[in-house]
Structure formats: structure tokens, C-alpha cells
Amino acid sequence: MPATLSAVTAAVLLGGTAGGYTVDAEGRFAPPAAFVPSAAVTYDQSYVPAAASIRVRQHTGAGGATTIGLRITGARPHHSFGAFVHQHPCGTLPADSGPRYQNQPDATGDNEVRLGFTTDARGTGGATDQHTWGLRRGEAASVVIQDRPGGGATRVACFTVPFGWVTG
């Protein structure tokens, strides 16, 4: 198995889309040029140090409704981060993950997977986002962590996730 996927727990399919499924992935952050590559990449270690850990869990029910949860440990303590699902896998540069995933491209409202969180004294934080819609095949590939919530934020870390999708 390639080193880039060694920290990722593969998708667990529970009965296909008829009964829903769960994807559970976890990793430890490493710089983009690390000797042993990781699916979790830190671009700014002052926010997300190397060896901090992340877990992303996606559950999509039979009707396509999806819940995505994020938990991070070892990040900057007492800090508010923005986090979103993005279209492409993580890469060497923060921009490699592409734009945010949108349920309806260029629409407004409840259209993105938002996972912003605030860490505690130990640098642990988490978030969950639920939607009545599911992800489309090949259009969601990572979770990007930003230095703060809101627009104009800087991408400080990224985690490539083998998201599942809704068929039909």
C-alpha cells in the first residue's frame, strides 16, 4: 500500500446506498515535503503541527442524507478554525485542493460542507455538518483547514479523504 494512504482507513460500505454507508478516515499531519508522505498535509505548523491527528467520518443514509464529522487533536490551542470539504486531493501547495465542494455549483445558502471548529486547551476540536443531500462521485476529495473562519482565510492544512457518493 502506498505510504500516502497508510494512515487512511478505507471506506466501509454497509449495504450500499440501499442501507447507507460509512466512510471513516484518519491520519497524522506531515509537511508536504516529508520523507514519508501523508494524506494529511500541514502547510503552516504554527496552526497544525506535524504529528497532529485528524479523523473524518462520513455517513450517508439510504435516502442520500449525509453527515460529515471532523475531529482534530494537537492543533493550536484555543483557536477558531474554518474547515470545508474541497473538490480535489491535497497537494504540495495549499491551492491544489481546488475550490470548495458545493451541492449546487454557484448557488447560495446551505450549499457547502462547513466544519469550522474551536480547539480546547489541548488543541482538540471537532465539528459535524448534516445535509439532506449527498456528495457526487469524484467531486469531493479533501477537507481543508483554514487559519480562521470566514472569507479571506488562509489554508493551513489539508486531509485527503476517500469520500463516498450518492448513486442514481
Side-chain angles (χ1 to χ4, degrees), residues 8-162:
V8 177
T9 304
V12 177
L13 301 177
L14 305 172
T17 56
Y21 61 88
T22 299
V23 174
D24 199 1
E26 51 189 333
R28 290 215 177 261
F29 287 96
F35 180 71
V36 177
S38 176
V41 180
T42 178
Y43 304 112
D44 187 335
Q45 291 191 56
S46 70
Y47 290 99
V48 180
S53 64
I54 187 168
R55 180 177 185 184
V56 173
R57 185 174 192 266
Q58 171 196 5
H59 178 75
T60 299
T66 299
T67 300
I68 298 178
L70 171 150
R71 180 163 172 80
I72 191 167
T73 59
R76 178 184 281 186
H78 301 294
H79 189 80
S80 293
F81 292 88
F84 298 88
V85 170
H86 279 246
Q87 294 180 11
H88 305 295
C90 308
T92 305
L93 301 174
D96 290 345
S97 57
R100 293 178 186 169
Y101 175 87
Q102 294 185 326
N103 181 47
Q104 298 293 325
D106 300 322
T108 59
D110 190 23
N111 196 37
E112 299 176 334
V113 179
R114 299 169 185 262
L115 297 164
F117 60 93
T118 300
T119 55
D120 63 15
R122 295 182 179 185
T124 298
T128 302
D129 199 6
Q130 298 177 306
H131 294 281
T132 57
W133 42 266
L135 304 174
R136 292 181 303 280
R137 184 177 189 169
E139 295 186 38
S142 62
V143 172
V144 172
I145 299 171
Q146 301 174 336
D147 64 344
R148 60 186 165 82
T154 300
R155 298 175 186 193
V156 296
C158 182
F159 181 43
T160 299
V161 179

